């Protein structure tokens, strides 16, 4: 009996009232979900319509819901941290709990918020923009989503079971090694990222093939909308950057589970190896999430200025240059490693070089707006707000890229200010612009403009109030990941201001949640399928798009294909033919559950459970390999009925 | 009601590959697999880089020179390179449409692969019994991980090939099984190329 009690006290996280509150909340929400699904007899619907779907549009919606939930979780982490730092000598959080929170905040925001948000946009938009019926590998697409989902779940349960990772979102050894971090927390981190990383890599391959092979007839590469181009560039980086991450995580896991010595301080291990491998992924990752945001800005600016994008070719070229140069910047994350002046110089120059194509893009957006007929919709507001914000983020980035100066502000709050400016100002603003822009296409109604503008201003003001003081704090010597600070350093008032800013952004997010709920009921319905007078093919079909996207595949004659068609006003009665579609499958979901089981087992060193999970994965792959009945056809009658309604 | 693929094929002809709306599904899968191989190359490149950094970090333990027994490794190499050749013969027989010979050559390929894995396990067991374990030094951690990752790939390939053999026996040679055989053999050649690098960087450089 006492052994069970002992086990439970280690298995469940205990001793913190915030955690007990979370336990209760998790149990209540789970029970509520189960009750609602059972009461309304929705289990079958959930399984048939969502859990087994291979439809890219539904997968997009699931990615979106998951990423918004993760934005909430990561945002609560941020608020908790800012409360802890608001005044000197605060005792709101225990130091250990604080370490866990900054670790999960970073991990979740990058990998379980930004990445799925990006994949939501990929899935919602790319096949429609290129005039395709689906992605290249619909089944693999479902696998990717469920791997992400269960990876995120694995990381998230760590805060009530076993304990959260606490070595920072980068998990540098030796701090994250077994010797200094014996609990399961880091294992959760490593396995969650590995599992979801497989899914990300698969998505990269999937969309690269989709874009290369499934464009509508007549659409040349240089006719593609810029968002599709940005996804192509981003996919190339995914394919090249994720394998080193996989290796970094796997080697650290081998160190922790099998007692190997890759990164230990003993037996010849070298912790810097991890840091190099991690950032070979980590810096390109910034561009993986940033480039699609650039794509969104290009679409939005063009549509709401009623002009063709300025400098299309230079836009494409700059994205491809960024995707290459992003590999030659990783070492700027540790100029202080001691690599020597020549190595530091190389990476400093590469880091500054990458600002050039980015600057070209900024000018192109501004020139597109110049003498355009601008409509200040929500999507356009976020785009315009992005430009100065990202310009400041880029400038502080170049400051950090000066290697000798970096010795001064390395790991300081200046750095925190910089990368939040680049990632919120660049990525989050872009994805929100994309969300508002494509929301009618995804759901068939617009999001309320008035509430959106309120949310926008809370975000904007909150952003600058939160992060501008952090630059100053960095120069004043405040370092990142600091738990608390004594009175009399002069940091108190700036930290308090920063905390107020964080709360303002939180209010902005709450307004957005309200905006979505409000608009579900009262939002303006999109009956035309083209609510913004758009330019690209996704606006040529009804909202939300039917299962097969295009009843007749369009023939494309150049850039901004839908705009050209609208100018020509030619309604071509084309013959409808049966449409080839992939069948739904439960295997992606079940296989990912087995991945989760394997990950959970290995986290606790229960090798039997890890083995069982991996065996389940293998069985699922076998069953799929033997399944030859994977597709069907929609008949002409069905298409005609769907198009008429 | 939706129609099954067979119903459509009987009414409209085989649109799966020839309809101008549908894309060449099997060709896309092969392209996707090529891109996957690019990413797998980078996975191995990262492991190779790790090994090269750590290969001299023997922490007072045994070095490659003391551990590696070249006869066994040479036999492994011989088995794997030959199996790559026989998998090529299998694809050739597939192009000729001879399903029995195709399966036959796949069996030979798989058996040679099995020999390779067996010899590698034997090598690992010997090293561990001599006390050269993954926990001993950074060099050995890198060695077991790099060579073991390749071995895991080969083992996976064996299961994969076995599954495809059953499918060939059941469905014969058609567009789908053809693609599956082609991809599996592509994978097999890739592992062969990786082994050539492995043999050079780990074993030859190790004993020199």
């Amino acid at each position: 009996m006492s052994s069970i009690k002992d086990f439970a006290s280690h298995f469940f996280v205990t001793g913190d009232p915030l955690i007990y509150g979370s336990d209760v909340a998790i149990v209540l929400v789970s029970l509520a979900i189960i009750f609602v699904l059972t009461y309304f007899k929705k289990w079958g619907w959930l399984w048939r319509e969502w859990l087994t779907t291979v439809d890219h549009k539904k997968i997009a919606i699931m990615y979106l819901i998951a990423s918004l939930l993760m934005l909430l979780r990561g945002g609560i982490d941020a608020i908790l941290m800012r409360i802890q730092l608001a005044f000197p000598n605060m005792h709101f959080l225990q130091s250990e709990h604080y370490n866990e929170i900054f670790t999960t905040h970073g991990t979740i925001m990058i990998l379980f918020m930004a990445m799925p948000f990006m994949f939501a946009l990929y899935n919602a938009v790319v096949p429609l923009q290129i005039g395709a019926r689906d992605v290249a590998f619909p089944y693999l697409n479902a696998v990717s989503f469920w791997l992400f989902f269960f990876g995120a779940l694995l990381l998230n349960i760590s805060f009530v079971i076993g304990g959260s990772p606490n070595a920072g979102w980068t998990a540098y050894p030796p701090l994250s090694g077994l010797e200094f971090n014996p609990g399961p927390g880091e294992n959760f981190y490593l396995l969650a990222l590995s599992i979801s990383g497989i899914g990300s890599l698969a998505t990269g391959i999937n969309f690269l093939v989709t874009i290369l092979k499934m464009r509508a007839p007549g659409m040349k590469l240089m006719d593609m909308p810029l968002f599709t181009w940005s996804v192509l560039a981003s996919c190339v980086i995914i394919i090249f950057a994720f394998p080193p991450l996989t290796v970094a995580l796997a080697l650290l896991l081998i160190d922790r589970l099998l007692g190997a010595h890759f990164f230990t301080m003993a037996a010849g291990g070298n912790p810097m190896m991890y840091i190099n491998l991690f950032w070979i992924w980590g810096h390109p990752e910034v561009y993986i999430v940033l480039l699609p945001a650039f794509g969104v800005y290009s679409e939005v600016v063009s549509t709401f200025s009623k002009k063709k994008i300025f400098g299309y070719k230079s836009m494409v070229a700059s994205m491809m240059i960024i995707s290459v140069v992003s590999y030659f910047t990783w070492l700027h994350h540790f100029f202080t490693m001691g690599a020597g002046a020549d190595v530091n110089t190389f990476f400093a120059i590469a880091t500054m070089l990458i600002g050039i194509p980015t600057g070209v893009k900024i000018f192109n957006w501004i020139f597109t707006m110049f003498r355009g007929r601008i409509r200040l919709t929500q999507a356009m507001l976020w785009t315009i707000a992005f430009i100065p914000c990202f310009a400041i983020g880029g400038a502080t980035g170049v400051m950090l890229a000066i290697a000798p100066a970096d010795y001064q502000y390395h790991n300081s709050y200046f750095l925190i200010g910089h990368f939040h400016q680049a990632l919120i100002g660049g990525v989050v603003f872009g994805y929100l612009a994309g969300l508002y822009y494509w929301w009618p296409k995804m759901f068939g109604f617009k999001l309320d403009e008035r509430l959106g503008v309120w949310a926008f201003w809370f975000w904007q003001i909150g952003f600058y109030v939160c992060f501008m003081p952090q630059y100053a704090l960095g120069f004043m010597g405040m370092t990142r990941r600091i738990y608390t600070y004594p009175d009399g350093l002069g940091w108190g008032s700036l930290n308090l201001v920063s905390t107020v800013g964080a709360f303002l952004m939180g209010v902005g997010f709450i307004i957005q949640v309200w905006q979505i709920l409000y608009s579900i009921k009262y939002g303006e319905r999109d009956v035309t399928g083209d609510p913004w007078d758009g330019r690209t093919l996704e606006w040529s079909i009804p909202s939300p798009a039917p299962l097969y996207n295009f009843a007749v595949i369009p023939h494309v004659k150049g850039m901004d294909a839908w705009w050209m068609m609208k100018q020509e006003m030619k309604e071509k009665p084309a013959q409808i033919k049966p449409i080839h579609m992939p069948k739904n499958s439960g295997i992606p979901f079940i296989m990912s559950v087995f991945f989760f089981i394997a990950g959970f087992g290995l986290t606790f060193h229960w090798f039997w459970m890890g083995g069982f999970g991996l065996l389940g994965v293998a069985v699922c792959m076998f069953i799929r390999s033997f399944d030859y009945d994977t597709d069907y056809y929609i008949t002409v009658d069905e298409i005609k009925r769907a198009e008429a309604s | 009601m939706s129609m099954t693929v067979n119903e459509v094929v009987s009414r409209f002809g085989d649109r799966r590959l020839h309809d101008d709306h549908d894309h060449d599904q099997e060709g896309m899968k092969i392209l996707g697999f090529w891109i996957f191989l690019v990413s797998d190359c980078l996975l191995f490149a990262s492991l190779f880089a790790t090994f090269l950094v750590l290969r001299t970090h023997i922490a007072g333990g045994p070095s490659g020179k003391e551990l590696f027994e070249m006869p066994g490794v040479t036999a492994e190499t011989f088995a794997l390179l030959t199996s790559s050749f026989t998998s090529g013969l299998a694809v050739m027989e597939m192009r000729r449409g001879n399903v029995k010979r195709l399966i036959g050559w796949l069996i030979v390929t798989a058996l040679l692969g099995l020999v390779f894995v067996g010899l590698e396990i034997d090598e690992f067991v010997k090293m561990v019994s001599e006390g050269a374990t993954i926990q001993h030094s950074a060099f050995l951690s890198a060695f077991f991980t790099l060579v073991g990752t390749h071995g895991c790939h080969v083992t996976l390939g064996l299961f994969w090939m076995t599954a495809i053999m059953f499918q060939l026996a059941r469905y014969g040679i058609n567009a789908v099984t053809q693609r599956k055989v082609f991809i599996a053999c592509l994978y097999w050649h890739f592992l062969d190329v990786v082994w050539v690098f492995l043999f050079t960087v780990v074993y030859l450089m190790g004993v020199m």
Side-chain angles (χ1 to χ4, degrees):
Chain A
M1 189 62 208
S2 72
S3 70
I4 293 173
K5 213 170 157 187
D6 189 49
F7 167 78
S9 71
H10 280 97
F11 189 69
F12 296 106
V13 177
T14 51
D16 191 319
L18 284 171
I19 299 288
Y20 289 133
S22 307
D23 284 331
V24 173
I26 289 170
V27 171
L28 286 180
V29 171
S30 306
L31 285 177
I33 292 171
I34 291 170
F35 174 76
V36 168
L37 285 171
T38 311
Y39 186 80
F40 292 101
K41 297 196 172 64
K42 288 288 186 191
W43 286 102
W45 165 83
L46 184 71
W47 176 256
R48 280 189 307 275
E49 296 289 318
W50 294 96
L51 303 188
T52 61
T53 188
V54 292
D55 179 3
H56 66 95
K57 299 174 289 292
K58 282 188 175 161
I59 289 173
I61 291 171
M62 292 194 288
Y63 268 124
L64 184 65
I65 294 169
S67 75
L68 289 177
L69 285 173
M70 288 294 100
L71 181 59
L72 175 68
R73 157 89 209 262
I76 291 171
D77 282 348
I79 296 274
L80 291 174
M81 276 189 285
R82 280 320 314 172
I83 293 173
Q84 167 64 25
L85 292 172
F87 300 103
N89 299 315
M90 275 288 273
H91 292 291
F92 174 64
L93 298 173
Q94 301 156 14
S95 58
E96 182 61 21
H97 196 185
Y98 183 82
N99 292 348
E100 293 175 354
I101 285 178
F102 73 62
T103 302
T104 50
H105 169 72
T107 311
I108 282 175
M109 284 303 201
I110 300 274
L111 287 147
F112 298 117
M113 188 284 283
M115 290 293 278
F117 208 144
M118 175 179 83
F119 291 149
L121 295 176
Y122 276 27
N123 272 290
V125 180
V126 170
L128 303 184
Q129 274 199 334
I130 62 172
R133 291 241 161 84
D134 211 324
V135 296
F137 314 119
Y139 170 86
L140 186 67
N141 201 19
V143 173
S144 294
F145 171 75
W146 289 110
L147 287 178
F148 147 72
F149 181 86
F150 283 103
L153 193 63
L154 190 61
L155 187 81
N156 274 281
I157 58 165
S158 69
F159 87 113
V160 288
I161 291 175
S164 298
N166 55 11
W169 85 275
T170 50
Y172 283 174
L175 181 58
S176 60
L178 199 57
E179 191 183 348
F180 300 105
N181 215 325
E186 288 304 318
N187 296 346
F188 269 120
Y189 168 93
L190 293 167
L191 287 153
L193 264 60
S194 301
I195 290 170
S196 61
I198 302 168
S200 303
L201 180 65
T203 303
I205 296 172
N206 206 341
F207 278 82
L208 186 60
V209 176
T210 304
I211 295 170
L212 290 178
K213 285 285 174 188
M214 295 186 70
R215 296 191 309 280
M219 185 184 272
K220 297 195 284 289
L221 278 174
M222 291 306 276
D223 294 335
M224 290 197 312
L226 279 172
F227 179 73
T228 300
W229 260 115
S230 72
V231 172
L232 187 142
S234 166
C235 285
V236 170
I237 313 182
I238 289 178
I239 290 158
F240 279 82
F242 267 79
L245 175 70
T246 308
V247 169
L249 300 174
L251 299 186
L252 186 53
L253 195 65
I254 293 170
D255 268 7
R256 291 181 58 88
L257 292 184
L258 304 178
H261 292 288
F262 287 104
F263 311 127
T264 58
M265 299 303 281
N270 184 353
M272 279 318 294
M273 281 290 299
Y274 176 88
I275 301 177
N276 272 287
L277 285 170
F278 183 89
W279 285 110
I280 290 174
W281 162 78
H283 200 78
E285 164 71 11
V286 174
Y287 293 94
I288 290 173
V289 291
L290 192 54
L291 286 173
F294 285 177
V296 173
Y297 297 131
S298 304
E299 300 293 332
V300 168
V301 158
S302 172
T303 299
F304 295 113
S305 305
K306 264 206 176 165
K307 273 176 72 185
K308 212 169 90 176
I309 191 85
F310 183 90
Y312 176 85
K313 282 180 187 162
S314 62
M315 286 293 213
V316 173
S318 61
M319 283 195 285
M320 297 320 282
I321 291 168
I322 289 171
S323 73
V324 174
V325 182
S326 66
Y327 291 100
F328 303 105
T329 57
W330 86 80
L331 198 128
H332 75 217
H333 291 267
F334 40 93
F335 279 141
T336 56
M337 168 172 75
D342 43 357
V343 173
N344 279 3
T345 307
F346 176 86
F347 284 92
I349 290 174
T351 304
M352 294 177 200
L353 272 181
I354 212 163
I356 296 172
T358 316
V360 168
K361 298 181 77 64
I362 301 258
F363 280 111
N364 282 340
W365 290 314
I366 294 173
F367 282 130
T368 307
M369 283 188 271
F370 182 65
R371 290 192 173 158
R373 281 153 67 190
I374 295 175
R375 281 174 290 164
L376 280 181
T377 59
Q378 298 172 81
M380 194 63 178
L381 281 177
W382 288 96
T383 302
I384 292 172
F386 144 82
I387 290 175
C389 192
F390 197 72
I392 300 170
T396 52
V398 174
M399 285 170 76
L400 282 159
I402 302 164
D406 185 65
Y407 277 77
Q408 183 58 40
Y409 27 68
H410 183 79
N411 274 352
S412 76
Y413 252 72
F414 183 85
L415 168 77
I416 305 297
H418 158 69
F419 76 68
H420 280 93
Q421 185 130 33
L423 285 173
I424 296 180
V427 177
V428 177
F429 287 12
Y431 290 177
L432 289 174
L435 180 75
Y436 289 118
Y437 183 57
W438 283 302
W439 186 277
K441 187 49 66 187
M442 289 176 82
F443 297 100
F445 60 91
K446 283 186 184 177
L447 286 171
D448 188 72
E449 288 278 339
R450 193 175 46 87
L451 285 168
V453 171
W454 275 100
F456 171 80
W457 285 110
F458 268 101
W459 268 95
Q460 289 305 319
I461 295 168
F463 175 84
Y464 286 98
V465 172
C466 182
F467 293 108
M468 290 302 123
Q470 297 189 0
Y471 288 117
L473 284 167
F475 284 135
M476 290 160 78
M478 184 164 158
T479 55
R480 74 197 295 196
R481 293 167 185 161
I482 201 165
Y483 156 61
T484 188
Y485 52 90
D487 211 350
L489 290 171
W491 298 353
S493 52
L494 283 172
N495 268 305
L496 183 61
V497 171
S498 183
T499 301
V500 170
F503 272 95
L504 291 176
M505 281 193 282
V507 173
F509 179 74
I510 291 168
I511 297 174
Q512 285 177 310
V513 173
W514 172 242
Q515 181 193 17
I516 291 174
L517 296 176
Y518 177 86
S519 306
I520 288 174
K521 195 139 192 225
Y522 303 107
E524 185 193 329
R525 305 292 122 169
D526 172 24
V527 288
T528 59
D530 187 13
W532 315 116
D533 197 8
R535 312 177 69 83
T536 41
L537 283 176
E538 73 267 32
W539 306 110
S540 69
I541 52 174
S543 300
L547 180 64
Y548 43 81
N549 297 350
F550 296 86
V552 177
I553 298 284
H555 281 259
V556 176
K557 291 196 206 91
M559 224 186 101
D560 287 349
W562 174 233
W563 189 258
M564 282 172 74
M565 287 178 200
K566 279 194 284 192
Q567 304 304 340
E568 289 174 7
M569 285 304 279
K570 260 201 302 202
E571 278 287 319
K572 242 192 327 200
Q575 201 204 338
I576 292 177
K577 295 177 185 169
I579 295 174
H580 183 209
M581 295 298 287
K583 268 189 184 164
N584 282 1
S585 170
I587 297 176
F589 180 82
I590 295 166
M591 188 164 89
S592 304
V593 170
F594 279 117
F595 260 110
F596 179 84
I597 293 170
F600 192 81
L602 290 177
T603 293
F604 288 93
H605 293 231
W606 299 337
F607 289 99
W608 59 269
M609 191 170 167
F612 171 75
L614 291 176
L615 187 70
V617 172
V619 169
C620 286
M621 287 166 111
F622 251 73
I623 292 172
R624 171 68 183 181
S625 178
F626 280 90
D627 186 4
Y628 275 59
D629 181 24
T630 56
D631 40 17
Y632 70 103
Y633 276 81
I634 306 180
T635 61
V636 174
D637 290 345
E638 279 175 302
I639 301 164
K640 282 187 176 152
R641 229 177 300 135
E643 289 293 301
S645 66
Chain B
M1 259 315 286
S2 301
M3 293 187 286
T4 66
V5 173
N6 285 336
E7 282 164 7
V8 171
V9 169
S10 64
R11 270 174 60 187
F12 298 93
D14 188 1
R15 292 177 175 278
R16 280 159 65 84
L17 293 170
H18 308 296
D19 188 282
D20 62 346
H21 285 185
D22 285 347
H23 302 269
D24 173 9
Q25 301 278 343
E26 311 305 329
M28 279 200 305
K29 284 179 178 157
I30 291 171
L31 175 66
F33 197 77
W34 273 108
I35 299 173
F36 165 75
L37 286 185
V38 169
S39 74
D40 221 20
C41 270
L42 284 149
L43 184 101
F44 276 108
S46 306
L47 289 172
F48 271 107
T50 311
F51 178 82
L52 282 170
V53 169
L54 298 176
R55 64 189 283 264
T56 54
H57 296 208
I58 55 174
S63 68
K65 204 165 192 167
E66 295 157 47
L67 282 171
F68 299 148
E69 289 171 12
M70 286 317 275
V73 180
T74 312
E76 270 178 61
T77 310
F78 188 71
L80 196 67
L81 265 60
T82 312
S83 78
S84 203
F85 176 67
T86 56
S87 79
L89 292 178
V91 173
M92 208 171 75
E93 292 298 342
M94 178 175 79
R95 298 252 154 88
R96 285 188 187 153
N98 191 333
V99 77
K100 274 197 181 139
R101 283 198 179 175
L102 162 58
I103 296 176
W105 282 120
L106 283 181
I107 290 173
V108 174
T109 307
L111 285 176
L112 285 166
L114 207 61
V115 169
F116 172 85
V117 175
L119 285 169
E120 187 161 272
I121 291 173
D122 183 53
E123 184 201 9
F124 279 14
V125 169
K126 260 189 209 151
M127 284 173 72
V128 170
S129 67
E130 288 164 15
T133 61
I134 196 169
Q135 294 95 354
H136 204 83
S137 67
F139 156 67
L140 283 167
S141 302
F143 168 82
F144 279 112
T145 305
L146 172 59
V147 181
T149 303
H150 179 267
C152 282
H153 272 69
V154 175
T155 312
L156 185 80
L158 289 176
F159 284 110
W160 188 3
M161 230 178 255
T162 312
I164 292 174
M165 282 188 250
F166 281 110
Q167 291 169 44
L168 279 170
R170 198 150 119 203
Y171 302 103
I173 298 173
N174 59 33
V176 176
T177 52
Q178 237 174 356
R179 180 253 306 165
K180 287 190 176 185
V181 171
F182 184 82
I183 287 181
C185 288
L186 204 60
Y187 178 76
W188 202 255
H189 291 313
F190 165 77
L191 293 180
D192 207 359
V193 174
V194 172
W195 179 257
V196 172
F197 282 94
L198 230 154
F199 182 74
T200 314
V201 171
V202 177
Y203 292 103
L204 285 184
M205 280 167 67
V207 294
M208 272 196 305

